[in-house]
Amino acid sequence: QVRLVESGGGLVQPGGSLRLSCAASGNIFSIYVMGWYRQAPGKQRELVASIASGGSTNYADSVKGRFIISRDNSKNAMYLQMSSLKPEDTAVYYCNAKAPGPSGVHDYWGQGTQVTVSS
């Protein structure tokens, strides 16, 4: 089992910055990729960025050049530094971890943290 807890969401003006954090606990050594997803009202959950255990990263086109994903293995934490925020970045942001499970890949999710970009 893996437990994920997000923090750092809030209200920010367009053009501003926020840093999201995700604290992982439990069987963290089984995790092979972590990521941030977001879900806006009336829309499907989408991948924002991911980072593999080896450090390789992947970003959605909509956030490239504005968001940076990172992880600190010594703290069992993952971060999302968001800059130049736009109103369309408004969503609930979820931390995700993928690990082997009984039926293949198992997704673990945090409870989500709200990010609102508005003037």
Side-chain angles (χ1 to χ4, degrees):
Q1 291 291 326
V2 174
R3 183 168 181 258
L4 305 170
V5 179
E6 303 100 334
S7 61
L11 173 64
V12 63
Q13 292 187 343
S17 300
L18 274 178
R19 188 193 195 210
L20 304 183
S21 299
C22 173
S25 60
N27 190 17
I28 59 173
F29 298 104
S30 66
I31 298 172
Y32 58 88
V33 62
M34 296 186 72
W36 289 97
Y37 289 71
R38 66 186 181 187
Q39 187 166 19
K43 294 187 176 182
Q44 289 188 332
R45 191 173 296 189
E46 63 175 0
L47 174 67
V48 176
S50 64
I51 184 165
S53 57
S56 60
T57 58
N58 179 53
Y59 294 92
D61 288 343
S62 59
V63 306
K64 283 181 180 177
R66 300 189 298 122
F67 292 9
I68 298 175
I69 189 171
S70 61
R71 61 194 286 183
D72 186 338
N73 292 329
S74 67
K75 297 182 179 179
N76 300 329
M78 177 180 66
Y79 308 97
L80 186 69
Q81 178 66 48
M82 304 185 293
S83 303
S84 302
L85 283 161
K86 305 175 181 179
E88 50 264 43
D89 294 318
T90 295
V92 177
Y93 284 69
Y94 296 91
C95 176
N96 170 269
K98 298 185 185 298
S103 303
V105 177
H106 186 83
D107 281 290
Y108 295 92
W109 296 95
Q111 81 286 356
T113 185
Q114 177 70 47
V115 172
T116 302
V117 184
S118 175
S119 55

